[in-house]
Amino acid sequence: MEIKFKVRLSQFVCLLGSVLLLLEAARQISIGLTLTALLLAVGGTMLLVVSLAHELFTLRWFRTLVMLSVALIMSALVLLAPQQHLMWLWGFAVLLLYPRPRWLAPACALIGLVTTWLALSQLGSDWLSLGIGITATLMALGAIGGRRQQQVWMQLERRGRRDSSRAIWSQYQLMRDLPREIARADREEIHIELILLAPVKTGRLANRRLMNTLDSAALPHETRYQLDDGALAVLLVTRGERMASLRRRQLIEHLAMPVRARVQPLNDSDLGALDLKRLSAHLSDEPQPITLLPPLPRKPADADAFSDEARSDDGRDTLKQASAADKVAVAPSRGNDH
């Protein structure tokens, strides 16, 4: 996953850019403390923060703040010293390549065009027309590329892991995995259930701690998911209900924090009756640490054709054998593939 998301490469690029900006800022400050030197120092510091805490860039508000600040810093550099920093005009097109809110694209484009107009207006109409034409063309190409990247980013947020350090999947991927896993469990006559988890103390820090502890406490073959409302889920497949109960309690004890859990059996279930939003509602307010939910309605008879198609799915449909130390569970098809 590290190669897929290219996290290390992106961090290296940000780190290299921050080093270059900070060296240029130090050179200018040594000559004399100027506003351009301070702007370079601020820009270099921002890139350094992004490179060292790259997971913050997945937060929408942080990404928006960084991109808007970079656009304003580039505009100020070009207007304060156009002879030295006119080359930063191409940076506005690069900003449009990144995933962003819809309003940020026209805002960056407007800042770039106004900056180009003010910087080149003193050079005559010919240079002004040429500069605006080149800047507008680059930004149009950047917007086209950014639209494609936006679609890829949305697909990754829906389907994949949010970062490369945790094997926690999305709710969209859970709904894709469930038909195949239920069909396989029914075919092998083994027990399958979905465990929903939430911390007793709600909040961003508690959710982050639960995510970290669950990723380390769960076995490699126990697939973890993050639901859209922030609750976590574990797909547990065992040889029987007794083994499932033992492994369930063992998992919650290893979390080493007060949590609440709801357990939904899934054998021979109709997925149309599975309402994850309802199951995870007010989960942290449960009086008991573990709440066993009643089984879902049985799947209709006409679902057999769908089950046969799910059984023939290649790749992850191979049943992995549990290790000697982990005989309490049978491995589902997706593993902790760091």
Side-chain angles (χ1 to χ4, degrees), residues 89-111:
L89 290 175
W90 65 271
F92 293 99
V94 175
L95 285 178
L96 299 181
L97 290 172
Y98 281 88
R100 66 203 178 277
R102 292 183 178 180
W103 63 268
L104 192 56
C108 290
L110 181 61
I111 294 175

Side-chain angles (χ1 to χ4, degrees), residues 14-15 17-22 25 38-51 73:
C14 291
L15 182 61
S18 66
V19 170
L20 294 177
L21 289 180
L22 291 175
L38 294 178
L39 290 175
L40 287 172
V42 172
T45 304
M46 291 180 60
L47 288 180
L48 183 62
V49 172
V50 171
S51 64
I73 290 175

Side-chain angles (χ1 to χ4, degrees), residues 261-278:
R262 288 175 182 163
V263 182
Q264 178 62 68
L266 295 175
N267 286 97
D268 197 24
S269 299
D270 181 15
L271 285 180
L274 182 63
D275 188 354
L276 294 176
K277 185 176 181 180
R278 178 182 60 84

Side-chain angles (χ1 to χ4, degrees), residues 180 182-190 307 310-312 317:
R180 178 177 54 255
I182 293 176
R184 192 181 62 122
D186 294 339
R187 182 178 69 248
E188 301 291 338
E189 297 182 354
I190 54 181
S307 298
R311 293 172 187 174
S312 63
D317 197 35

Side-chain angles (χ1 to χ4, degrees), residues 66-104:
V66 170
M67 295 177 65
L68 189 59
S69 300
V70 169
L72 294 176
I73 290 175
M74 289 191 302
S75 177
L77 287 174
V78 172
L79 294 179
L80 289 175
Q83 299 84 359
Q84 299 180 7
H85 304 291
L86 191 62
M87 61 180 181
W88 289 111
L89 290 175
W90 65 271
F92 293 99
V94 175
L95 285 178
L96 299 181
L97 290 172
Y98 281 88
R100 66 203 178 277
R102 292 183 178 180
W103 63 268
L104 192 56

